[in-house]
Amino acid sequence: MDEQSIISKFEPNKDNMLNILHELQNNNQNNFLTNEDLKLVAEYLNTSYSAVYGVVKYYSMFSLKPRGKYVIRVCKSPLCHMLDKEIVLTEIKQNIGIDIGECTDNLMFSVEASECLGYCAEAPVMMINDKVYTYLDSKKIKEIIQNIKLND
Ligand code: FES
């Protein structure tokens, strides 16, 4: 679906900015928003480019650079961090070879640090695209990544 068609699904109301940005980003095969996307949203909502840019920069789920098809968000808030002891990042690095802030060369995976994902009682936690994975340990992380690679 082209960008203008996505935007037109929403009323031109600033309250819809986050939803529009989400849809545009989800529609992009590399999981990011382009400058053109931001300009279109600003024009449609009758606001400034800098207002849209500010929203995109504020929320960590938005990206202005290409990311992997699978965006892995690792919770680095205190509780997960305390229980995790770097198991999650170590296992991710062993299985896909990248660290936080990096993307695989084939644009399949990106890894990002996240604030609390809201599942503290089930820590350590990570999220891959819209799915949350809890009670992580090395074995579980390896299985999750292998399953994605096998089924993609
Ligand atoms: S601290 Fe990690 S999910 Fe809340």
mmCIF file of all heavy atoms in Angstrom, residues 1 3 5-28 33 37 41 44-45 52 55-56 59 61-62:
data_model
loop_
_atom_site.group_PDB
_atom_site.id
_atom_site.type_symbol
_atom_site.label_atom_id
_atom_site.label_comp_id
_atom_site.label_asym_id
_atom_site.label_seq_id
_atom_site.Cartn_x
_atom_site.Cartn_y
_atom_site.Cartn_z
ATOM 1 N N MET A 1 0.852 -1.194 0.000
ATOM 2 C CA MET A 1 0.000 0.000 0.000
ATOM 3 C C MET A 1 0.891 1.248 0.000
ATOM 4 O O MET A 1 1.895 1.289 0.697
ATOM 5 C CB MET A 1 -0.880 -0.026 1.254
ATOM 6 C CG MET A 1 -1.958 1.042 1.252
ATOM 7 S SD MET A 1 -2.996 1.012 2.744
ATOM 8 C CE MET A 1 -3.988 -0.420 2.452
ATOM 9 N N GLU A 3 2.070 5.217 0.678
ATOM 10 C CA GLU A 3 2.032 6.011 1.908
ATOM 11 C C GLU A 3 0.777 6.889 2.002
ATOM 12 O O GLU A 3 0.162 7.006 3.053
ATOM 13 C CB GLU A 3 3.289 6.898 2.007
ATOM 14 C CG GLU A 3 4.571 6.153 2.316
ATOM 15 C CD GLU A 3 5.127 5.393 1.129
ATOM 16 O OE1 GLU A 3 4.647 5.582 -0.009
ATOM 17 O OE2 GLU A 3 6.051 4.584 1.341
ATOM 18 N N SER A 5 -2.145 6.396 0.725
ATOM 19 C CA SER A 5 -3.325 5.571 1.022
ATOM 20 C C SER A 5 -3.371 5.214 2.508
ATOM 21 O O SER A 5 -4.441 5.173 3.112
ATOM 22 C CB SER A 5 -3.301 4.272 0.216
ATOM 23 O OG SER A 5 -3.205 4.554 -1.136
ATOM 24 N N ILE A 6 -2.214 4.943 3.083
ATOM 25 C CA ILE A 6 -2.167 4.616 4.522
ATOM 26 C C ILE A 6 -2.623 5.825 5.335
ATOM 27 O O ILE A 6 -3.488 5.723 6.211
ATOM 28 C CB ILE A 6 -0.727 4.212 4.934
ATOM 29 C CG1 ILE A 6 -0.388 2.869 4.317
ATOM 30 C CG2 ILE A 6 -0.585 4.161 6.452
ATOM 31 C CD1 ILE A 6 1.058 2.479 4.442
ATOM 32 N N ILE A 7 -2.066 6.981 5.033
ATOM 33 C CA ILE A 7 -2.391 8.194 5.798
ATOM 34 C C ILE A 7 -3.874 8.519 5.678
ATOM 35 O O ILE A 7 -4.525 8.876 6.665
ATOM 36 C CB ILE A 7 -1.514 9.368 5.302
ATOM 37 C CG1 ILE A 7 -0.052 9.113 5.691
ATOM 38 C CG2 ILE A 7 -1.995 10.695 5.891
ATOM 39 C CD1 ILE A 7 0.922 10.108 5.128
ATOM 40 N N SER A 8 -4.416 8.330 4.491
ATOM 41 C CA SER A 8 -5.816 8.697 4.240
ATOM 42 C C SER A 8 -6.816 7.825 4.987
ATOM 43 O O SER A 8 -7.993 8.162 5.065
ATOM 44 C CB SER A 8 -6.118 8.617 2.744
ATOM 45 O OG SER A 8 -5.240 9.429 2.042
ATOM 46 N N LYS A 9 -6.342 6.713 5.558
ATOM 47 C CA LYS A 9 -7.253 5.854 6.332
ATOM 48 C C LYS A 9 -7.643 6.520 7.651
ATOM 49 O O LYS A 9 -8.586 6.120 8.306
ATOM 50 C CB LYS A 9 -6.586 4.506 6.646
ATOM 51 C CG LYS A 9 -6.398 3.628 5.442
ATOM 52 C CD LYS A 9 -6.049 2.197 5.798
ATOM 53 C CE LYS A 9 -4.910 2.058 6.785
ATOM 54 N NZ LYS A 9 -4.481 0.701 7.030
ATOM 55 N N PHE A 10 -6.867 7.543 8.044
ATOM 56 C CA PHE A 10 -7.088 8.205 9.328
ATOM 57 C C PHE A 10 -7.689 9.593 9.124
ATOM 58 O O PHE A 10 -7.430 10.243 8.111
ATOM 59 C CB PHE A 10 -5.759 8.355 10.081
ATOM 60 C CG PHE A 10 -5.122 7.039 10.438
ATOM 61 C CD1 PHE A 10 -4.270 6.398 9.550
ATOM 62 C CD2 PHE A 10 -5.386 6.433 11.653
ATOM 63 C CE1 PHE A 10 -3.685 5.176 9.870
ATOM 64 C CE2 PHE A 10 -4.811 5.217 11.994
ATOM 65 C CZ PHE A 10 -3.955 4.598 11.093
ATOM 66 N N GLU A 11 -8.467 10.030 10.118
ATOM 67 C CA GLU A 11 -8.948 11.408 10.115
ATOM 68 C C GLU A 11 -7.738 12.327 10.259
ATOM 69 O O GLU A 11 -6.784 11.987 10.978
ATOM 70 C CB GLU A 11 -9.888 11.646 11.309
ATOM 71 C CG GLU A 11 -11.217 10.933 11.220
ATOM 72 C CD GLU A 11 -12.075 11.472 10.092
ATOM 73 O OE1 GLU A 11 -12.147 12.701 9.936
ATOM 74 O OE2 GLU A 11 -12.635 10.647 9.351
ATOM 75 N N PRO A 12 -7.756 13.499 9.605
ATOM 76 C CA PRO A 12 -6.606 14.412 9.728
ATOM 77 C C PRO A 12 -6.596 15.144 11.072
ATOM 78 O O PRO A 12 -6.796 16.354 11.155
ATOM 79 C CB PRO A 12 -6.801 15.372 8.552
ATOM 80 C CG PRO A 12 -8.260 15.327 8.282
ATOM 81 C CD PRO A 12 -8.758 13.972 8.669
ATOM 82 N N ASN A 13 -6.354 14.373 12.109
ATOM 83 C CA ASN A 13 -6.401 14.881 13.475
ATOM 84 C C ASN A 13 -5.059 14.549 14.146
ATOM 85 O O ASN A 13 -4.592 13.403 14.047
ATOM 86 C CB ASN A 13 -7.570 14.153 14.174
ATOM 87 C CG ASN A 13 -7.763 14.596 15.594
ATOM 88 O OD1 ASN A 13 -6.797 14.912 16.290
ATOM 89 N ND2 ASN A 13 -9.009 14.608 16.028
ATOM 90 N N LYS A 14 -4.485 15.509 14.846
ATOM 91 C CA LYS A 14 -3.156 15.281 15.449
ATOM 92 C C LYS A 14 -3.159 14.115 16.433
ATOM 93 O O LYS A 14 -2.124 13.498 16.678
ATOM 94 C CB LYS A 14 -2.662 16.557 16.125
ATOM 95 C CG LYS A 14 -2.277 17.646 15.150
ATOM 96 C CD LYS A 14 -1.622 18.822 15.863
ATOM 97 C CE LYS A 14 -1.333 19.947 14.902
ATOM 98 N NZ LYS A 14 -2.513 20.761 14.574
ATOM 99 N N ASP A 15 -4.332 13.790 16.997
ATOM 100 C CA ASP A 15 -4.417 12.636 17.905
ATOM 101 C C ASP A 15 -4.087 11.329 17.181
ATOM 102 O O ASP A 15 -3.795 10.321 17.826
ATOM 103 C CB ASP A 15 -5.824 12.504 18.508
ATOM 104 C CG ASP A 15 -6.115 13.612 19.501
ATOM 105 O OD1 ASP A 15 -5.156 14.291 19.929
ATOM 106 O OD2 ASP A 15 -7.299 13.800 19.835
ATOM 107 N N ASN A 16 -4.146 11.347 15.871
ATOM 108 C CA ASN A 16 -3.871 10.137 15.087
ATOM 109 C C ASN A 16 -2.406 10.032 14.661
ATOM 110 O O ASN A 16 -2.043 9.075 13.970
ATOM 111 C CB ASN A 16 -4.759 10.103 13.839
ATOM 112 C CG ASN A 16 -6.193 9.804 14.197
ATOM 113 O OD1 ASN A 16 -6.463 9.076 15.148
ATOM 114 N ND2 ASN A 16 -7.127 10.380 13.459
ATOM 115 N N MET A 17 -1.583 10.984 15.081
ATOM 116 C CA MET A 17 -0.200 10.995 14.589
ATOM 117 C C MET A 17 0.544 9.685 14.896
ATOM 118 O O MET A 17 1.189 9.105 14.011
ATOM 119 C CB MET A 17 0.581 12.185 15.163
ATOM 120 C CG MET A 17 1.948 12.321 14.517
ATOM 121 S SD MET A 17 3.001 13.568 15.277
ATOM 122 C CE MET A 17 2.133 15.079 14.917
ATOM 123 N N LEU A 18 0.454 9.204 16.144
ATOM 124 C CA LEU A 18 1.193 7.985 16.492
ATOM 125 C C LEU A 18 0.720 6.789 15.669
ATOM 126 O O LEU A 18 1.535 6.003 15.178
ATOM 127 C CB LEU A 18 1.051 7.670 17.989
ATOM 128 C CG LEU A 18 1.790 8.593 18.943
ATOM 129 C CD1 LEU A 18 1.498 8.198 20.384
ATOM 130 C CD2 LEU A 18 3.288 8.558 18.688
ATOM 131 N N ASN A 19 -0.589 6.666 15.518
ATOM 132 C CA ASN A 19 -1.119 5.532 14.734
ATOM 133 C C ASN A 19 -0.675 5.617 13.278
ATOM 134 O O ASN A 19 -0.330 4.602 12.661
ATOM 135 C CB ASN A 19 -2.649 5.499 14.817
ATOM 136 C CG ASN A 19 -3.116 5.055 16.193
ATOM 137 O OD1 ASN A 19 -2.414 4.314 16.876
ATOM 138 N ND2 ASN A 19 -4.278 5.522 16.604
ATOM 139 N N ILE A 20 -0.706 6.804 12.721
ATOM 140 C CA ILE A 20 -0.271 6.963 11.326
ATOM 141 C C ILE A 20 1.207 6.592 11.190
ATOM 142 O O ILE A 20 1.597 5.854 10.281
ATOM 143 C CB ILE A 20 -0.499 8.412 10.829
ATOM 144 C CG1 ILE A 20 -1.998 8.727 10.802
ATOM 145 C CG2 ILE A 20 0.120 8.611 9.449
ATOM 146 C CD1 ILE A 20 -2.314 10.200 10.522
ATOM 147 N N LEU A 21 2.023 7.102 12.101
ATOM 148 C CA LEU A 21 3.459 6.805 12.040
ATOM 149 C C LEU A 21 3.713 5.300 12.181
ATOM 150 O O LEU A 21 4.555 4.733 11.469
ATOM 151 C CB LEU A 21 4.204 7.582 13.132
ATOM 152 C CG LEU A 21 4.261 9.102 12.917
ATOM 153 C CD1 LEU A 21 4.765 9.806 14.176
ATOM 154 C CD2 LEU A 21 5.150 9.466 11.725
ATOM 155 N N HIS A 22 2.977 4.661 13.087
ATOM 156 C CA HIS A 22 3.117 3.202 13.245
ATOM 157 C C HIS A 22 2.794 2.472 11.951
ATOM 158 O O HIS A 22 3.531 1.582 11.528
ATOM 159 C CB HIS A 22 2.179 2.695 14.339
ATOM 160 C CG HIS A 22 2.803 2.682 15.690
ATOM 161 N ND1 HIS A 22 3.887 1.893 16.011
ATOM 162 C CD2 HIS A 22 2.505 3.377 16.797
ATOM 163 C CE1 HIS A 22 4.228 2.112 17.259
ATOM 164 N NE2 HIS A 22 3.406 3.013 17.761
ATOM 165 N N GLU A 23 1.693 2.851 11.339
ATOM 166 C CA GLU A 23 1.285 2.166 10.092
ATOM 167 C C GLU A 23 2.304 2.385 8.990
ATOM 168 O O GLU A 23 2.620 1.466 8.232
ATOM 169 C CB GLU A 23 -0.082 2.683 9.643
ATOM 170 C CG GLU A 23 -1.209 2.169 10.492
ATOM 171 C CD GLU A 23 -2.085 1.144 9.761
ATOM 172 O OE1 GLU A 23 -1.961 0.974 8.531
ATOM 173 O OE2 GLU A 23 -2.875 0.528 10.448
ATOM 174 N N LEU A 24 2.807 3.592 8.889
ATOM 175 C CA LEU A 24 3.805 3.878 7.856
ATOM 176 C C LEU A 24 5.070 3.052 8.098
ATOM 177 O O LEU A 24 5.640 2.482 7.166
ATOM 178 C CB LEU A 24 4.145 5.372 7.840
ATOM 179 C CG LEU A 24 3.070 6.295 7.267
ATOM 180 C CD1 LEU A 24 3.446 7.756 7.521
ATOM 181 C CD2 LEU A 24 2.866 6.050 5.772
ATOM 182 N N GLN A 25 5.494 3.008 9.354
ATOM 183 C CA GLN A 25 6.711 2.262 9.666
ATOM 184 C C GLN A 25 6.506 0.764 9.413
ATOM 185 O O GLN A 25 7.377 0.096 8.843
ATOM 186 C CB GLN A 25 7.121 2.504 11.116
ATOM 187 C CG GLN A 25 8.413 1.794 11.493
ATOM 188 C CD GLN A 25 8.978 2.264 12.793
ATOM 189 O OE1 GLN A 25 9.736 3.218 12.829
ATOM 190 N NE2 GLN A 25 8.609 1.618 13.881
ATOM 191 N N ASN A 26 5.345 0.238 9.830
ATOM 192 C CA ASN A 26 5.065 -1.186 9.610
ATOM 193 C C ASN A 26 4.986 -1.523 8.121
ATOM 194 O O ASN A 26 5.269 -2.644 7.712
ATOM 195 C CB ASN A 26 3.755 -1.592 10.288
ATOM 196 C CG ASN A 26 3.892 -1.606 11.788
ATOM 197 O OD1 ASN A 26 4.993 -1.641 12.318
ATOM 198 N ND2 ASN A 26 2.772 -1.545 12.489
ATOM 199 N N ASN A 27 4.593 -0.558 7.326
ATOM 200 C CA ASN A 27 4.460 -0.764 5.885
ATOM 201 C C ASN A 27 5.818 -0.772 5.165
ATOM 202 O O ASN A 27 5.937 -1.280 4.065
ATOM 203 C CB ASN A 27 3.575 0.343 5.304
ATOM 204 C CG ASN A 27 3.246 0.112 3.844
ATOM 205 O OD1 ASN A 27 2.673 -0.904 3.490
ATOM 206 N ND2 ASN A 27 3.630 1.065 2.996
ATOM 207 N N ASN A 28 6.817 -0.190 5.818
ATOM 208 C CA ASN A 28 8.149 -0.123 5.220
ATOM 209 C C ASN A 28 8.873 -1.445 5.468
ATOM 210 O O ASN A 28 8.992 -1.872 6.614
ATOM 211 C CB ASN A 28 8.922 1.051 5.853
ATOM 212 C CG ASN A 28 10.282 1.218 5.245
ATOM 213 O OD1 ASN A 28 11.071 0.279 5.213
ATOM 214 N ND2 ASN A 28 10.564 2.415 4.770
ATOM 215 N N LEU A 33 10.977 5.000 9.213
ATOM 216 C CA LEU A 33 10.237 6.118 8.624
ATOM 217 C C LEU A 33 11.198 6.962 7.812
ATOM 218 O O LEU A 33 12.309 7.271 8.258
ATOM 219 C CB LEU A 33 9.615 6.977 9.731
ATOM 220 C CG LEU A 33 8.487 6.299 10.516
ATOM 221 C CD1 LEU A 33 8.270 7.000 11.844
ATOM 222 C CD2 LEU A 33 7.206 6.276 9.694
ATOM 223 N N ASP A 37 8.033 10.387 4.580
ATOM 224 C CA ASP A 37 6.910 9.998 5.451
ATOM 225 C C ASP A 37 6.591 11.135 6.427
ATOM 226 O O ASP A 37 5.425 11.505 6.621
ATOM 227 C CB ASP A 37 7.254 8.750 6.277
ATOM 228 C CG ASP A 37 7.361 7.489 5.447
ATOM 229 O OD1 ASP A 37 6.750 7.432 4.366
ATOM 230 O OD2 ASP A 37 8.061 6.563 5.892
ATOM 231 N N VAL A 41 3.092 13.306 6.736
ATOM 232 C CA VAL A 41 2.295 13.340 7.975
ATOM 233 C C VAL A 41 2.100 14.789 8.422
ATOM 234 O O VAL A 41 0.988 15.197 8.798
ATOM 235 C CB VAL A 41 2.973 12.504 9.087
ATOM 236 C CG1 VAL A 41 2.251 12.687 10.417
ATOM 237 C CG2 VAL A 41 2.988 11.032 8.698
ATOM 238 N N TYR A 44 -0.428 16.406 6.156
ATOM 239 C CA TYR A 44 -1.783 15.875 6.347
ATOM 240 C C TYR A 44 -2.404 16.373 7.660
ATOM 241 O O TYR A 44 -3.593 16.645 7.728
ATOM 242 C CB TYR A 44 -1.728 14.343 6.336
ATOM 243 C CG TYR A 44 -3.076 13.677 6.347
ATOM 244 C CD1 TYR A 44 -3.937 13.800 5.257
ATOM 245 C CD2 TYR A 44 -3.501 12.921 7.439
ATOM 246 C CE1 TYR A 44 -5.183 13.190 5.262
ATOM 247 C CE2 TYR A 44 -4.744 12.309 7.447
ATOM 248 C CZ TYR A 44 -5.578 12.447 6.356
ATOM 249 O OH TYR A 44 -6.817 11.843 6.360
ATOM 250 N N LEU A 45 -1.577 16.484 8.686
ATOM 251 C CA LEU A 45 -2.097 16.905 9.999
ATOM 252 C C LEU A 45 -1.980 18.405 10.214
ATOM 253 O O LEU A 45 -2.233 18.899 11.319
ATOM 254 C CB LEU A 45 -1.369 16.142 11.119
ATOM 255 C CG LEU A 45 -1.521 14.617 11.093
ATOM 256 C CD1 LEU A 45 -0.773 13.979 12.248
ATOM 257 C CD2 LEU A 45 -2.993 14.219 11.124
ATOM 258 N N VAL A 52 6.506 16.654 13.944
ATOM 259 C CA VAL A 52 6.460 15.213 13.659
ATOM 260 C C VAL A 52 7.821 14.581 13.987
ATOM 261 O O VAL A 52 7.898 13.534 14.625
ATOM 262 C CB VAL A 52 6.082 14.955 12.178
ATOM 263 C CG1 VAL A 52 6.041 13.453 11.889
ATOM 264 C CG2 VAL A 52 4.741 15.600 11.851
ATOM 265 N N VAL A 55 8.234 13.957 17.677
ATOM 266 C CA VAL A 55 7.503 12.779 18.151
ATOM 267 C C VAL A 55 8.286 11.510 17.793
ATOM 268 O O VAL A 55 8.460 10.605 18.614
ATOM 269 C CB VAL A 55 6.078 12.736 17.532
ATOM 270 C CG1 VAL A 55 5.419 11.380 17.761
ATOM 271 C CG2 VAL A 55 5.229 13.849 18.127
ATOM 272 N N VAL A 56 8.776 11.452 16.565
ATOM 273 C CA VAL A 56 9.513 10.264 16.109
ATOM 274 C C VAL A 56 10.784 10.060 16.942
ATOM 275 O O VAL A 56 11.116 8.931 17.319
ATOM 276 C CB VAL A 56 9.853 10.393 14.606
ATOM 277 C CG1 VAL A 56 10.838 9.322 14.158
ATOM 278 C CG2 VAL A 56 8.573 10.315 13.781
ATOM 279 N N TYR A 59 9.894 8.727 20.772
ATOM 280 C CA TYR A 59 9.494 7.337 20.999
ATOM 281 C C TYR A 59 10.512 6.371 20.400
ATOM 282 O O TYR A 59 10.757 6.397 19.188
ATOM 283 C CB TYR A 59 8.111 7.065 20.399
ATOM 284 C CG TYR A 59 7.004 7.757 21.164
ATOM 285 C CD1 TYR A 59 6.440 8.932 20.698
ATOM 286 C CD2 TYR A 59 6.543 7.232 22.366
ATOM 287 C CE1 TYR A 59 5.428 9.579 21.411
ATOM 288 C CE2 TYR A 59 5.542 7.868 23.083
ATOM 289 C CZ TYR A 59 4.987 9.033 22.597
ATOM 290 O OH TYR A 59 4.004 9.662 23.297
ATOM 291 N N MET A 61 10.335 3.355 19.701
ATOM 292 C CA MET A 61 9.869 2.349 18.733
ATOM 293 C C MET A 61 9.955 2.838 17.298
ATOM 294 O O MET A 61 9.836 2.041 16.374
ATOM 295 C CB MET A 61 8.441 1.869 19.051
ATOM 296 C CG MET A 61 7.373 2.892 18.860
ATOM 297 S SD MET A 61 7.206 3.843 20.367
ATOM 298 C CE MET A 61 5.458 4.035 20.480
ATOM 299 N N PHE A 62 10.160 4.139 17.120
ATOM 300 C CA PHE A 62 10.300 4.659 15.755
ATOM 301 C C PHE A 62 11.774 4.762 15.378
ATOM 302 O O PHE A 62 12.626 5.049 16.215
ATOM 303 C CB PHE A 62 9.663 6.046 15.631
ATOM 304 C CG PHE A 62 8.166 6.039 15.825
ATOM 305 C CD1 PHE A 62 7.569 6.893 16.733
ATOM 306 C CD2 PHE A 62 7.351 5.190 15.097
ATOM 307 C CE1 PHE A 62 6.196 6.887 16.931
ATOM 308 C CE2 PHE A 62 5.977 5.173 15.271
ATOM 309 C CZ PHE A 62 5.408 6.028 16.196
#
